[in-house]
């Protein structure tokens, strides 16, 4: 039975997958980890980068001595999984990404980081600030936002997964996107899918970007269709 690994997105944590767990087949070994600086994990000594997170993922897989894993990566988690699979394809059997952004430019990165100002969030969306504080304690959630903003600005300058890198990923990948995602377009997901040697594309109907608004049964059905649970 191939294990399934769940990878959260930026500002996320493995606890966000709790609604999905009861919908997965009971016989599937399911794992989830918190990336550095997320979900209570300490910050790294250096900056956030996709390459660093991919390295941490590969180290985690080696430490747990797992066979090739199937991965569901949400948003940044999907990006991290794809970069790790590009480096070490033997560690992965299949990857399903949802709401993963591939179109990074300096302008897009500036637009996204403008939403990550801790003082503005504390003032205008205090409930979200409290959620972030609870999700990531003891690390400082405001520092997490700043690290994440730096990561996005770096992607804007030099995307980790350009068309050339995507073409090097030689494992089956399903690129999924919500039809109402305001951060990730169907068009950029389609463009990424077309670069993958073993790619599929899946558009989830009536689906926005925030994880809290996902239709979990719909997602579980899509995962079951793509992954080998037998």
């Amino acid at each position: 039975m191939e294990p399934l690994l769940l990878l959260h997105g930026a500002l996320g944590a493995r606890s966000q997958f709790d609604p999905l767990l009861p919908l997965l087949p009971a016989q599937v070994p399911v794992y989830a980890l918190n990336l550095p600086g997320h979900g209570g994990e300490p910050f790294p000594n250096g900056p956030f980068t996709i390459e660093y997170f991919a390295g941490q993922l590969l180290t985690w897989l080696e430490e747990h001595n797992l066979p090739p894993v199937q991965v569901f990566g949400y948003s940044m988690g999907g990006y991290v999984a794809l970069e790790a699979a590009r480096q070490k394809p033997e560690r992965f059997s299949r990857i399903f990404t949802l709401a993963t952004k591939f179109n990074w430019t300096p302008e897009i990165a500036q637009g996204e980081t403008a939403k990550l100002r801790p003082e503005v969030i504390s003032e205008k969306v205090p409930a979200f600030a409290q959620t972030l504080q609870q999700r990531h304690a003891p690390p400082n959630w405001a520092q997490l936002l700043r690290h994440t903003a730096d990561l996005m600005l770096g992607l804007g300058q030099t995307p980790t997964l350009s068309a050339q890198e995507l073409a090097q990923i030689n494992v089956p990948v399903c690129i999924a996107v919500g039809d109402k995602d305001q951060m990730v377009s169907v068009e950029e997901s389609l463009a990424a899918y077309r670069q993958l040697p073993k790619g599929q594309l899946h558009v989830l109907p009536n689906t926005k970007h925030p994880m809290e608004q996902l239709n979990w049964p719909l997602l579980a059905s899509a995962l079951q269709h793509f992954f080998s649970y037998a």
Side-chain angles (χ1 to χ4, degrees), residues 157-172:
Q157 294 295 328
T158 309
T160 303
L161 295 173
S162 67
Q164 182 178 355
E165 279 77 30
L166 288 169
Q168 298 170 4
I169 300 172
N170 200 32
V171 301

Side-chain angles (χ1 to χ4, degrees), residues 7 10 23-24 60 63 98 103-104 138 156 186:
L7 276 183
L23 305 176
L24 298 173
W60 186 92
E63 289 174 348
L98 173 62
N103 182 22
W104 287 102
V186 173

Side-chain angles (χ1 to χ4, degrees), residues 27-75:
Q27 71 271 22
V28 177
V30 180
Y31 298 84
L33 72 153
N34 288 318
L35 293 170
H38 296 75
E41 293 296 316
F43 287 107
N45 292 327
F48 280 7
T49 66
I50 296 299
E51 292 82 357
Y52 173 77
F53 285 147
Q56 292 296 299
L57 168 58
L58 292 170
T59 298
W60 186 92
L61 291 173
E62 185 174 350
E63 289 174 348
H64 286 74
N65 196 29
L66 295 177
V69 295
Q70 304 180 120
V71 177
F72 167 47
Y74 168 77
S75 194

